[in-house]
PDB file of all heavy atoms in Angstrom:
ATOM      1  N   VAL A  92      -3.670 -21.745   9.118  1.00 93.00           N
ATOM      2  CA  VAL A  92      -3.130 -22.961   9.773  1.00 93.00           C
ATOM      3  C   VAL A  92      -1.693 -23.218   9.326  1.00 93.00           C
ATOM      4  O   VAL A  92      -1.348 -24.265   8.781  1.00 93.00           O
ATOM      5  CB  VAL A  92      -4.032 -24.195   9.500  1.00 93.00           C
ATOM      6  CG1 VAL A  92      -5.322 -24.105  10.257  1.00 93.00           C
ATOM      7  CG2 VAL A  92      -4.329 -24.365   8.006  1.00 93.00           C
ATOM      8  N   PHE A  93      -0.840 -22.211   9.551  1.00 92.00           N
ATOM      9  CA  PHE A  93       0.508 -22.225   8.990  1.00 92.00           C
ATOM     10  C   PHE A  93       1.373 -23.349   9.540  1.00 92.00           C
ATOM     11  O   PHE A  93       2.384 -23.708   8.940  1.00 92.00           O
ATOM     12  CB  PHE A  93       1.191 -20.875   9.236  1.00 92.00           C
ATOM     13  CG  PHE A  93       1.014 -20.340  10.622  1.00 92.00           C
ATOM     14  CD1 PHE A  93       1.766 -20.800  11.679  1.00 92.00           C
ATOM     15  CD2 PHE A  93       0.076 -19.349  10.866  1.00 92.00           C
ATOM     16  CE1 PHE A  93       1.603 -20.297  12.956  1.00 92.00           C
ATOM     17  CE2 PHE A  93      -0.105 -18.843  12.141  1.00 92.00           C
ATOM     18  CZ  PHE A  93       0.668 -19.314  13.195  1.00 92.00           C
ATOM     19  N   ASP A  94       1.004 -23.939  10.679  1.00 90.00           N
ATOM     20  CA  ASP A  94       1.810 -25.028  11.235  1.00 90.00           C
ATOM     21  C   ASP A  94       1.685 -26.301  10.403  1.00 90.00           C
ATOM     22  O   ASP A  94       2.498 -27.215  10.536  1.00 90.00           O
ATOM     23  CB  ASP A  94       1.376 -25.298  12.680  1.00 90.00           C
ATOM     24  CG  ASP A  94       2.413 -26.115  13.434  1.00 90.00           C
ATOM     25  OD1 ASP A  94       3.617 -25.852  13.224  1.00 90.00           O
ATOM     26  OD2 ASP A  94       2.030 -27.022  14.190  1.00 90.00           O
ATOM     27  N   GLU A  95       0.662 -26.363   9.535  1.00 91.00           N
ATOM     28  CA  GLU A  95       0.460 -27.538   8.689  1.00 91.00           C
ATOM     29  C   GLU A  95       0.855 -27.279   7.244  1.00 91.00           C
ATOM     30  O   GLU A  95       0.574 -28.097   6.374  1.00 91.00           O
ATOM     31  CB  GLU A  95      -1.002 -27.976   8.756  1.00 91.00           C
ATOM     32  CG  GLU A  95      -1.487 -28.284  10.165  1.00 91.00           C
ATOM     33  CD  GLU A  95      -2.951 -28.679  10.203  1.00 91.00           C
ATOM     34  OE1 GLU A  95      -3.512 -28.903   9.115  1.00 91.00           O
ATOM     35  OE2 GLU A  95      -3.526 -28.772  11.297  1.00 91.00           O
ATOM     36  N   CYS A  96       1.467 -26.124   6.972  1.00 91.00           N
ATOM     37  CA  CYS A  96       1.831 -25.758   5.602  1.00 91.00           C
ATOM     38  C   CYS A  96       3.351 -25.740   5.462  1.00 91.00           C
ATOM     39  O   CYS A  96       4.077 -25.495   6.436  1.00 91.00           O
ATOM     40  CB  CYS A  96       1.254 -24.382   5.227  1.00 91.00           C
ATOM     41  SG  CYS A  96      -0.555 -24.283   5.327  1.00 91.00           S
ATOM     42  N   ASP A  97       3.806 -25.987   4.250  1.00 89.00           N
ATOM     43  CA  ASP A  97       5.239 -26.028   3.968  1.00 89.00           C
ATOM     44  C   ASP A  97       5.713 -24.866   3.110  1.00 89.00           C
ATOM     45  O   ASP A  97       6.924 -24.620   3.038  1.00 89.00           O
ATOM     46  CB  ASP A  97       5.598 -27.342   3.257  1.00 89.00           C
ATOM     47  CG  ASP A  97       5.321 -28.556   4.134  1.00 89.00           C
ATOM     48  OD1 ASP A  97       5.525 -28.455   5.358  1.00 89.00           O
ATOM     49  OD2 ASP A  97       4.878 -29.594   3.593  1.00 89.00           O
ATOM     50  N   THR A  98       4.818 -24.142   2.464  1.00 91.00           N
ATOM     51  CA  THR A  98       5.201 -23.019   1.607  1.00 91.00           C
ATOM     52  C   THR A  98       4.326 -21.815   1.919  1.00 91.00           C
ATOM     53  O   THR A  98       3.242 -21.942   2.516  1.00 91.00           O
ATOM     54  CB  THR A  98       5.067 -23.382   0.116  1.00 91.00           C
ATOM     55  OG1 THR A  98       3.691 -23.661  -0.172  1.00 91.00           O
ATOM     56  CG2 THR A  98       5.920 -24.588  -0.227  1.00 91.00           C
ATOM     57  N   ASP A  99       4.796 -20.647   1.464  1.00 91.00           N
ATOM     58  CA  ASP A  99       4.006 -19.425   1.641  1.00 91.00           C
ATOM     59  C   ASP A  99       2.694 -19.495   0.869  1.00 91.00           C
ATOM     60  O   ASP A  99       1.660 -19.006   1.343  1.00 91.00           O
ATOM     61  CB  ASP A  99       4.814 -18.213   1.174  1.00 91.00           C
ATOM     62  CG  ASP A  99       6.062 -17.994   2.008  1.00 91.00           C
ATOM     63  OD1 ASP A  99       6.253 -18.749   2.985  1.00 91.00           O
ATOM     64  OD2 ASP A  99       6.848 -17.080   1.680  1.00 91.00           O
ATOM     65  N   ALA A 100       2.717 -20.093  -0.308  1.00 92.00           N
ATOM     66  CA  ALA A 100       1.501 -20.185  -1.119  1.00 92.00           C
ATOM     67  C   ALA A 100       0.443 -21.036  -0.428  1.00 92.00           C
ATOM     68  O   ALA A 100      -0.758 -20.738  -0.504  1.00 92.00           O
ATOM     69  CB  ALA A 100       1.830 -20.763  -2.498  1.00 92.00           C
ATOM     70  N   ASP A 101       0.874 -22.094   0.263  1.00 93.00           N
ATOM     71  CA  ASP A 101      -0.098 -22.925   0.985  1.00 93.00           C
ATOM     72  C   ASP A 101      -0.763 -22.141   2.106  1.00 93.00           C
ATOM     73  O   ASP A 101      -1.975 -22.268   2.343  1.00 93.00           O
ATOM     74  CB  ASP A 101       0.605 -24.161   1.555  1.00 93.00           C
ATOM     75  CG  ASP A 101       1.056 -25.123   0.466  1.00 93.00           C
ATOM     76  OD1 ASP A 101       0.525 -25.014  -0.655  1.00 93.00           O
ATOM     77  OD2 ASP A 101       1.946 -25.955   0.729  1.00 93.00           O
ATOM     78  N   VAL A 102       0.003 -21.311   2.812  1.00 94.00           N
ATOM     79  CA  VAL A 102      -0.564 -20.513   3.900  1.00 94.00           C
ATOM     80  C   VAL A 102      -1.603 -19.535   3.353  1.00 94.00           C
ATOM     81  O   VAL A 102      -2.701 -19.389   3.910  1.00 94.00           O
ATOM     82  CB  VAL A 102       0.548 -19.762   4.651  1.00 94.00           C
ATOM     83  CG1 VAL A 102      -0.044 -18.841   5.716  1.00 94.00           C
ATOM     84  CG2 VAL A 102       1.518 -20.741   5.291  1.00 94.00           C
ATOM     85  N   ILE A 103      -1.274 -18.890   2.248  1.00 93.00           N
ATOM     86  CA  ILE A 103      -2.213 -17.928   1.664  1.00 93.00           C
ATOM     87  C   ILE A 103      -3.468 -18.638   1.161  1.00 93.00           C
ATOM     88  O   ILE A 103      -4.593 -18.134   1.320  1.00 93.00           O
ATOM     89  CB  ILE A 103      -1.516 -17.159   0.522  1.00 93.00           C
ATOM     90  CG1 ILE A 103      -0.365 -16.316   1.086  1.00 93.00           C
ATOM     91  CG2 ILE A 103      -2.507 -16.268  -0.216  1.00 93.00           C
ATOM     92  CD1 ILE A 103       0.469 -15.631   0.022  1.00 93.00           C
ATOM     93  N   HIS A 104      -3.287 -19.823   0.575  1.00 94.00           N
ATOM     94  CA  HIS A 104      -4.445 -20.572   0.076  1.00 94.00           C
ATOM     95  C   HIS A 104      -5.390 -20.952   1.206  1.00 94.00           C
ATOM     96  O   HIS A 104      -6.613 -20.746   1.108  1.00 94.00           O
ATOM     97  CB  HIS A 104      -3.960 -21.827  -0.656  1.00 94.00           C
ATOM     98  CG  HIS A 104      -5.056 -22.812  -0.932  1.00 94.00           C
ATOM     99  ND1 HIS A 104      -5.991 -22.646  -1.928  1.00 94.00           N
ATOM    100  CD2 HIS A 104      -5.384 -23.993  -0.307  1.00 94.00           C
ATOM    101  CE1 HIS A 104      -6.836 -23.657  -1.931  1.00 94.00           C
ATOM    102  NE2 HIS A 104      -6.489 -24.502  -0.960  1.00 94.00           N
ATOM    103  N   TRP A 105      -4.839 -21.525   2.284  1.00 95.00           N
ATOM    104  CA  TRP A 105      -5.704 -21.958   3.378  1.00 95.00           C
ATOM    105  C   TRP A 105      -6.252 -20.779   4.177  1.00 95.00           C
ATOM    106  O   TRP A 105      -7.346 -20.865   4.735  1.00 95.00           O
ATOM    107  CB  TRP A 105      -4.947 -22.921   4.284  1.00 95.00           C
ATOM    108  CG  TRP A 105      -4.864 -24.288   3.685  1.00 95.00           C
ATOM    109  CD1 TRP A 105      -3.782 -24.874   3.119  1.00 95.00           C
ATOM    110  CD2 TRP A 105      -5.946 -25.217   3.564  1.00 95.00           C
ATOM    111  NE1 TRP A 105      -4.106 -26.121   2.643  1.00 95.00           N
ATOM    112  CE2 TRP A 105      -5.434 -26.361   2.907  1.00 95.00           C
ATOM    113  CE3 TRP A 105      -7.282 -25.204   3.935  1.00 95.00           C
ATOM    114  CZ2 TRP A 105      -6.218 -27.476   2.635  1.00 95.00           C
ATOM    115  CZ3 TRP A 105      -8.065 -26.310   3.650  1.00 95.00           C
ATOM    116  CH2 TRP A 105      -7.535 -27.423   3.013  1.00 95.00           C
ATOM    117  N   SER A 106      -5.520 -19.691   4.214  1.00 95.00           N
ATOM    118  CA  SER A 106      -6.068 -18.501   4.868  1.00 95.00           C
ATOM    119  C   SER A 106      -7.295 -17.999   4.126  1.00 95.00           C
ATOM    120  O   SER A 106      -8.318 -17.666   4.745  1.00 95.00           O
ATOM    121  CB  SER A 106      -4.996 -17.406   4.919  1.00 95.00           C
ATOM    122  OG  SER A 106      -5.530 -16.207   5.408  1.00 95.00           O
TER     123      SER A 106
END
Side-chain angles (χ1 to χ4, degrees):
V92 288
F93 45 79
D94 196 39
E95 303 178 11
C96 300
D97 297 324
T98 63
D99 296 356
D101 291 341
V102 175
I103 295 174
H104 167 76
W105 282 106
S106 174

